[in-house]
Amino acid sequence: SYLSFEQPFVGHLVEAVKDLSEQGITDMILDLRSNPGGHAVMSVYLSAMMIDESYGGKLFATYIYNPKNKRMAQTEEKIILDKTYYDPATGAMKDLPHLNMQKVWILADNNSASCSESVIVGLQGLDIPVEIIGTTTRGKNCGMLVTEKTFGSYIYTYAPITFMNFNAKGDNDYADGIKPQVNLDDYYNESNIQASYQTYQCYVF
């Protein structure tokens, strides 16, 4: 279960994945329900750790910026899958662990957005099968650059939309959300599976 892509806690995420790797797991269900996103680099780290090390160095995403954005020297930024990560606790670059997943199962809902969706479309762009269970995601196929401005004694933080996110295959068509392969809304309403146990299981989800 991963609730937010927060960069200061990258070490905690890496250690959790390392622990799973040392246990020798062969399959994993990634729970991204109610995860609205966070720092974009964390979606790259998480995706890289879930799959084989051989994907390191491959194109994961392309960010297309507004050409009028004066903060950016370019209008296109290529995002490459990392083999290492920056550890803010030590100030050093460290190797990422890998789970070598051949297929990824993801739990998602309408509150799964931004970086959560970047993981899904990013893995799909690498031809990693992704099985989504739950409901349609939020549909945030874009990102922001955070800016702070000081006026008098007040500090204002702005986070305007500044770029569109495309996977390695150029897919950006999920503004209406990513539909699950197993839709819990449909599952719950199917009359032929209204046995008490199954209904209870859907309710808990």
Side-chain angles (χ1 to χ4, degrees):
S1 177
Y2 193 44
L3 297 176
S4 184
F5 291 79
E6 299 294 337
Q7 190 176 18
F9 302 102
V10 59
H12 296 276
L13 177 62
V14 171
E15 285 302 313
V17 174
K18 184 179 179 181
D19 180 60
L20 294 174
S21 177
E22 291 174 348
Q23 292 181 49
I25 68 166
T26 58
D27 296 280
M28 181 179 72
I29 298 172
L30 176 63
D31 189 349
L32 293 178
R33 290 174 296 173
S34 298
N35 187 326
H39 199 294
V41 71
M42 295 298 291
S43 65
V44 184
Y45 287 156
L46 178 58
S47 299
M49 288 189 290
M50 286 193 294
I51 56 182
D52 189 85
E53 186 180 4
S54 63
Y55 285 91
K58 291 189 176 182
L59 178 66
F60 180 72
T62 301
Y63 298 159
I64 304 296
Y65 293 90
N66 188 325
K68 296 181 180 180
N69 184 350
K70 295 180 180 180
R71 285 187 59 184
M72 302 302 299
Q74 75 277 8
T75 58
E76 182 177 295
E77 182 181 5
K78 299 294 185 181
I79 307 301
I80 306 301
L81 274 181
D82 298 286
K83 290 186 177 181
T84 59
Y85 76 100
Y86 174 74
D87 182 5
T90 62
M93 298 299 294
K94 296 183 178 180
D95 292 335
L96 289 170
H98 296 275
L99 296 176
N100 305 320
M101 298 288 102
Q102 303 301 309
K103 181 177 182 179
V104 178
W105 283 264
I106 293 179
L107 303 183
D109 61 17
N110 183 249
N111 292 314
S112 304
S114 193
C115 289
S116 290
E117 294 167 308
S118 294
V119 169
I120 295 171
V121 298
L123 291 174
Q124 291 173 336
L126 296 169
D127 292 322
I128 301 294
V130 180
E131 189 81 13
I132 307 170
I133 302 167
T135 55
T136 301
T137 63
R138 179 77 57 82
K140 186 172 180 289
N141 58 351
C142 50
M144 301 94 76
L145 288 179
V146 178
T147 302
E148 286 189 350
K149 294 288 184 181
T150 301
F151 296 96
S153 59
Y154 296 94
I155 298 176
Y156 293 86
T157 301
Y158 302 87
I161 299 296
T162 52
F163 65 88
M164 303 295 287
N165 176 53
F166 295 78
N167 70 8
K169 292 185 175 182
D171 181 19
N172 176 258
D173 189 21
Y174 58 98
D176 294 327
I178 304 170
K179 294 182 179 180
Q181 284 82 6
V182 180
N183 190 310
L184 263 292
D185 284 341
D186 294 341
Y187 184 94
Y188 184 80
N189 291 314
E190 285 287 340
S191 60
N192 63 328
I193 52 174
Q194 286 299 302
S196 59
Y197 176 73
Q198 291 168 314
T199 303
Y200 172 75
Q201 292 291 78
C202 293
Y203 176 77
V204 170
F205 181 92

